[in-house]
Amino acid sequence: MASRPEALGGIVDHDIYNLATIELDNYSALLIGMHADQRFLAGHAAQIERFLRGGGTVVANGHIAYPFLPGMAGFHTQPSGRLEDLAIVRMAEHPVWDGVSAHELTFRRGVAGFYGRVWHDAPEGAYVINSVGSPDKPLDFIYPVGHGRVLFHGGNDLWQFGGAESTGRIVPQLLRWLFNTATASSECIS
């Protein structure tokens, strides 16, 4: 995502294993991909929480197996592999998903489940944007932590969606949301 024209100079890549030496206060957001080492991140949960409480933004993706974000616990699998359990249900509007079809989130090349297939309990005060299968199974939500906030997506990295379908709107809208709502500076770390 750092190489996208609208992100040039605004996103800085760092090795996650250097997290202890990175001064997070120099950045407005921390972007965490679904394949990040959650066990390692759980060991740095206090550093991440300090960043959030100070006004930072964390965008995290994936299935939480080792909790590293305040208020987050592990994921829940769907009870069956039925198509209706994989349907994305729009719960509320948010600028990142503006104009993005829930149907196109559900199906990619005619196959359901790529966007998300598990759910997490939304922390207290969370604003649920999308659920999977039914309204009581949150997939995408944003919640406050101190002066900061977490935007969580319980599936594949949001920044990997593109193409001609409405899902191609996610990345540019995510970047616009990150840079228009930046707190400390306009730089994000991934």
Side-chain angles (χ1 to χ4, degrees):
M1 191 160 82
S3 63
R4 290 185 63 101
E6 61 267 51
L8 284 178
I11 296 178
V12 180
D13 284 321
H14 283 284
D15 187 326
I16 191 172
Y17 298 108
N18 293 331
L19 187 60
T21 63
I22 298 170
E23 183 54 53
L24 292 180
D25 291 338
N26 292 332
Y27 301 94
S28 61
L30 176 61
L31 310 177
I32 301 173
M34 71 175 291
H35 296 294
D37 183 342
Q38 292 183 16
R39 184 176 284 180
F40 175 82
L41 288 170
H44 294 274
Q47 180 186 12
I48 295 169
E49 184 170 354
R50 275 191 307 277
F51 172 67
L52 285 163
R53 290 199 176 282
T57 296
V58 172
V59 178
N61 301 269
H63 307 158
I64 300 294
Y66 296 92
F68 61 91
L69 294 168
M72 290 287 297
F75 65 93
H76 305 279
T77 58
Q78 294 291 45
S80 74
R82 300 176 313 176
L83 180 58
E84 53 267 17
D85 290 332
L86 299 174
I88 304 305
V89 180
R90 178 66 42 86
M91 302 300 299
E93 296 303 315
H94 188 276
V96 172
W97 289 271
D98 183 43
V100 178
S101 160
H103 177 79
E104 290 175 359
L105 290 174
T106 300
F107 294 99
R108 185 169 184 176
R109 296 186 181 132
V111 179
F114 286 104
Y115 183 74
R117 54 180 53 234
V118 305
W119 57 281
H120 293 76
D121 294 314
E124 186 176 330
Y127 178 76
V128 178
I129 301 152
N130 294 307
S131 292
V132 60
S134 64
D136 62 332
K137 296 177 179 171
L139 176 63
D140 298 311
F141 47 86
I142 186 169
Y143 67 98
V145 178
H147 296 289
R149 73 274 169 99
V150 173
L151 175 64
F152 182 78
H153 168 64
N156 290 320
D157 293 341
L158 286 173
W159 39 84
Q160 63 102 29
F161 289 92
E165 295 183 336
S166 67
T167 55
R169 298 173 62 115
I170 293 173
V171 174
Q173 292 177 170
L174 173 63
L175 289 169
R176 201 165 29 257
W177 179 78
L178 280 169
F179 294 130
N180 287 341
T181 61
T183 52
S185 73
S186 63
E187 284 193 343
C188 302
I189 183 173
S190 70

